[in-house]
């Protein structure tokens, strides 16, 4: 009986330590944010026209700049108050990301990144922001 309870204590301790370790590791490693395939393959219903890019720019200034910064570097005033980086939209990795994937992330959000489906309810407006974001270039 004594041996059995010792065993139980040992197993409980091992389980506890493993889950604690897992929690520490997962909290510190930002996980890759992958959009569902259904969105990745989506094509924008709006053209990357001058007017649509300008409309996307206005919306970006209103809703996104505070965190992502005027030039997309992730250095907006609010960024410093967040415990996760906002990303760099001028990076080659972001510029190569499928439009549909960017659209999905704006629509659904994740963690500190807000979901905009209820704030910017017109899908076309969110697609226009995507067009504007694709104009960010590394300096
Ligand atoms: C309150 C701050 C905040 C605001 C406002 C905000 N974002 Fe974000 N955004 C974030 C953070 C933080 C992340 C990183 C989230 C993560 O990786 O979990 C992010 C991630 C993203 C990503 C994913 C980048 C990638 O490469 O995976 C996109 C796209 C994005 N934001 C677009 C926008 C757009 C467009 C707006 C405005 C309509 C906006 N964000 C407004 C904080 C913000």
């Amino acid at each position: 009986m004594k041996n059995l309870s010792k065993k139980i204590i040992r197993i409980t301790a091992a389980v506890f330590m493993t889950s604690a370790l897992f929690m520490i590791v997962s909290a510190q490693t930002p996980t890759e944010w992958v959009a569902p395939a259904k969105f990745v393959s989506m094509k924008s219903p709006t053209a990357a026209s001058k007017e649509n890019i300008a409309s996307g720019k206005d919306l970006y200034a209103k809703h996104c700049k505070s965190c992502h910064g005027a030039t997309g570097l992730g250095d907006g005033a609010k960024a410093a108050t967040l415990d996760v980086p906002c990303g760099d939209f001028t990076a080659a990795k972001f510029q190569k990301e499928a439009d549909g994937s960017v659209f999905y992330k704006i629509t659904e959000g994740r963690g500190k990144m807000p979901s905009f489906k209820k704030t910017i309810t017109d899908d076309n407006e969110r697609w226009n922001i995507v067009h504007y974001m694709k104009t960010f270039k590394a300096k």
Side-chain angles (χ1 to χ4, degrees), residues 44-46 52 55 59 103 120-129 131:
S44 178
T46 68
N52 287 342
S55 136
L59 291 161
F103 175 78
I120 306 172
T121 52
D122 184 345
D123 282 5
N124 287 350
E125 290 193 334
R126 275 179 272 118
W127 279 110
N128 287 343
I129 300 177
H131 287 316

Side-chain angles (χ1 to χ4, degrees), residues 65-133:
K65 206 172 108 181
S66 58
C67 289
H68 290 285
T71 57
L73 288 171
D75 58 355
K78 258 198 221 160
T81 69
L82 304 173
D83 51 3
V84 284
C86 292
D88 176 359
F89 298 149
T90 69
K93 188 171 186 281
F94 176 80
Q95 287 297 325
K96 271 190 242 144
E97 194 170 324
D99 287 354
S101 167
V102 178
F103 175 78
Y104 168 82
K105 291 175 184 182
I106 301 170
T107 306
E108 298 301 329
R110 174 176 95 160
K112 296 285 159 64
M113 164 65 195
S115 155
F116 282 95
K117 64 182 164 207
K118 292 205 179 98
T119 325
I120 306 172
T121 52
D122 184 345
D123 282 5
N124 287 350
E125 290 193 334
R126 275 179 272 118
W127 279 110
N128 287 343
I129 300 177
V130 176
H131 287 316
Y132 172 63
M133 292 169 83

Side-chain angles (χ1 to χ4, degrees), residues 12-91:
T12 313
V15 169
F16 179 77
M17 273 154 64
T18 313
S19 54
L21 193 70
F22 180 76
M23 272 154 62
I24 293 166
V25 171
S26 52
Q28 288 178 347
T29 328
T31 47
E32 182 93 14
W33 188 1
V34 183
K38 182 178 117 193
F39 282 89
V40 176
S41 60
M42 261 185 177
K43 292 281 168 276
S44 178
T46 68
S49 66
K50 234 170 123 183
E51 292 75 24
N52 287 342
I53 290 173
S55 136
K57 184 178 180 175
D58 286 347
L59 291 161
Y60 181 92
K62 193 168 162 209
H63 299 282
C64 323
K65 206 172 108 181
S66 58
C67 289
H68 290 285
T71 57
L73 288 171
D75 58 355
K78 258 198 221 160
T81 69
L82 304 173
D83 51 3
V84 284
C86 292
D88 176 359
F89 298 149
T90 69

